[in-house]
Amino acid sequence: MRMNMRTLSAAVFAATLFIAAAGCKKKVAAAPPPPPAPKVEAPPPPPPKPQPPRIDTFVAEPASIERGQSSTLRWAVANATNMTIDQGVGAVQANGTRQVNPGNSTTYTLTASGAGGTDTRSVTVTVNAPPPPPPPKPQPPKVTISSAEVLSREAQDVYFDYDMSDLRADAVRAATANAELLKRIFAQDSGFTVLIEGNCDERGSAEYNLGLGDRRATSLKDFYVMQGLPAERIKTISYGKEKPVCTDANEACYQKNRHDHMAPGQ
């Protein structure tokens, strides 16, 4: 269809006006981007949980003893700040030993505590009664020796010079030993008495020798009394020459017969 010229011109003019209007329109600035969100820091991690106390070792060496012996406690502890052992031992270090000497079987408890809790462990020291002593060996029967037998075994004869009743040096030594013997016998046997027998050799009359034998026995008794012996427990008798111990006619034999001899009193 043929468009008339007038109508075409009007259309072109309208289009031109639109384009011009579009080109002259003011540009609008773009909106700024939104600010970034604030950065939120992550919270710090929680502190590590404390390790619980741990008793690695608690033993008694030896665990069985006899009364009067000792045992040694030995221990090792980790992660603890306070360590104690009961039964009077008290506070201890984390690692150590302690000697104990219980009188009876005893249980020891180790307690370890700290921020992480508490741990305990116990050991027992067994105390055994010592074995009974062996029965005593049977003693041989005690042989009681009478005072008379003691006197017979240990007393010494006291010898004199010819026709003399004084105690010479060797007689004093023998008499001193006899005095100690009599003190011991008298102390053990309150009823014991002693008899001093005076003797002479064969020379001289029987009457004279009875007198000489009496003087010899009395001389020895006086010596004993001076040594502290009681006079009432010492008796005397003279046999003169009636009881010789030797019968040969020589000086050696005469000397043996000139003596005082002690016997149990009657």
Side-chain angles (χ1 to χ4, degrees), residues 16-187:
T16 301
L17 287 177
F18 178 79
I19 294 171
C24 293
K25 188 176 181 182
K26 188 177 181 180
K27 294 182 178 181
V28 179
K39 188 178 181 180
V40 179
E41 294 183 1
K49 187 178 180 180
Q51 294 293 318
R54 185 181 72 249
I55 299 175
D56 294 325
T57 303
F58 187 42
V59 295
E61 299 170 333
S64 180
I65 60 175
E66 290 186 1
R67 185 169 290 117
Q69 295 179 335
S70 61
S71 177
T72 299
L73 303 178
R74 181 170 58 84
W75 64 89
V77 178
N79 307 325
T81 55
N82 296 289
M83 292 73 59
T84 60
I85 300 176
D86 64 357
Q87 303 296 348
V89 177
V92 296
Q93 299 297 317
N95 298 277
T97 61
R98 182 68 60 87
Q99 190 175 74
V100 293
N101 186 18
N104 298 292
S105 296
T106 303
T107 297
Y108 296 87
T109 299
L110 169 61
T111 302
S113 59
T118 300
D119 190 13
T120 62
R121 188 177 297 185
S122 298
V123 295
T124 298
V125 178
T126 302
V127 178
N128 303 304
K137 294 181 179 179
Q139 298 294 324
K142 187 174 181 180
V143 178
T144 302
I145 302 177
S146 67
S147 299
E149 188 173 358
V150 172
L151 183 72
S152 175
R153 288 182 179 184
E154 300 184 32
Q156 303 178 42
D157 285 347
V158 176
Y159 294 94
F160 295 87
D161 286 332
Y162 175 68
D163 201 23
M164 300 292 293
S165 60
D166 296 333
L167 298 180
R168 61 194 192 193
D170 63 318
V172 170
R173 289 192 295 270
T176 300
N178 287 343
E180 294 302 316
L181 172 64
L182 290 175
K183 289 178 183 178
R184 176 158 49 93
I185 293 175
F186 288 169

Side-chain angles (χ1 to χ4, degrees), residues 202 241-250 252-254 256-257:
E202 64 182 42
K241 59 179 181 179
E242 297 176 6
K243 294 180 65 175
V245 296
C246 180
T247 56
D248 294 336
N250 55 54
C253 187
Y254 295 155
K256 293 178 181 180
N257 291 332

